[in-house]
Amino acid sequence: MEISTLATYHCLAFVWYFFVAYSITHIKTEERPSEVFLYGGQWKYLTVLNLVLQAVFYGVSFLADVLRLIKKLRCAKCVISSRDLLFSVLAFPVSTFVCISFWTLYTYNRELVYPKSLDAVIPFWLNHAMHTAVLPFALLEIFALPHRYPAKKKGLILLGFVAFLYISWVLWIYSVTGEWVYPLFALFSPPGLAAFFAGSLAIIVSFYNFGEFLNRMIWGQ
């Protein structure tokens, strides 16, 4: 794909994610269901954090494209390294995890992850923008241009560290409020919850490996 075309695509993707993140974080306070938006607000949900992550990633990608267009190659090289690290370690595996885990649990029992009370607050299109469109965007990025993956050990350590931070945030919110971020967690005993978190980490690691596999199959080493 031509650099100018990539720049246009990345700019539009950045604007889209910025708009979606803005939309979900500016729901009027009086419209928020009390059982959903407790301590931590929207920032306790992986879906919302992922929207911010994607906006940052596409912003960095657009910057890299612009630097290449104006022939600032030394600066572009550094930004491209950051772009590839963001995409490989976080943007692709997290967006894939958000989409697949959400719709799997939603199909099984939506009240565990997305209570029906949210239908009156979050429009249909916004739900799909947060939970569905993120996966096609991630796949399109892989097909649009190659990304250099870090050494496997480094990539998995970074991914595990970010996962640890989010789990710590979830547990902190529970310690403060006595309420779980997702009603699903209330179904587990402490050992069961630990196993659930471990299983979720294993799944997101598999998505990391899947992204690396796709990148290698399409673009080679």
Side-chain angles (χ1 to χ4, degrees), residues 86-132:
L86 265 175
F87 180 76
S88 59
V89 175
L90 294 176
F92 182 84
V94 173
S95 60
T96 305
F97 180 81
V98 164
C99 179
I100 293 178
S101 63
F102 174 82
W103 288 113
T104 299
L105 292 170
Y106 185 98
T107 302
Y108 173 71
N109 182 356
R110 66 169 297 175
E111 294 298 319
L112 297 177
V113 290
Y114 193 82
K116 196 172 180 62
S117 58
L118 284 176
D119 288 345
V121 179
I122 300 177
F124 179 80
W125 71 267
L126 187 52
N127 180 21
H128 282 284
M130 294 188 297
H131 298 115
T132 307

Side-chain angles (χ1 to χ4, degrees), residues 11-28:
C11 180
L12 292 174
F14 168 74
V15 171
W16 166 252
Y17 274 114
F18 183 87
F19 169 70
V20 174
Y22 178 88
S23 298
I24 192 63
T25 56
H26 283 75
I27 295 174
K28 295 179 181 178

Side-chain angles (χ1 to χ4, degrees), residues 7 31-32 35 41 55 63 81 86 93 95 99 110-111 123 132 164 166-168 173 190 196 200 209 211:
E31 295 178 350
R32 301 174 184 177
E35 72 274 16
L63 176 60
S81 296
L86 265 175
S95 60
C99 179
R110 66 169 297 175
E111 294 298 319
T132 307
F164 171 78
Y166 180 69
I167 291 172
S168 298
I173 291 173
F196 177 82
S200 297
N209 290 327

Side-chain angles (χ1 to χ4, degrees), residues 46 97 100-102 104-105 108 112-113 163 166-167 170-171 180-204:
L46 184 60
F97 180 81
I100 293 178
S101 63
F102 174 82
T104 299
L105 292 170
Y108 173 71
L112 297 177
V113 290
Y166 180 69
I167 291 172
V170 168
L171 294 176
W180 287 110
V181 171
Y182 297 102
L184 169 69
F185 297 159
L187 301 178
F188 296 102
S189 64
L193 189 61
F196 177 82
F197 285 147
S200 297
L201 179 59
I203 291 172
I204 202 169

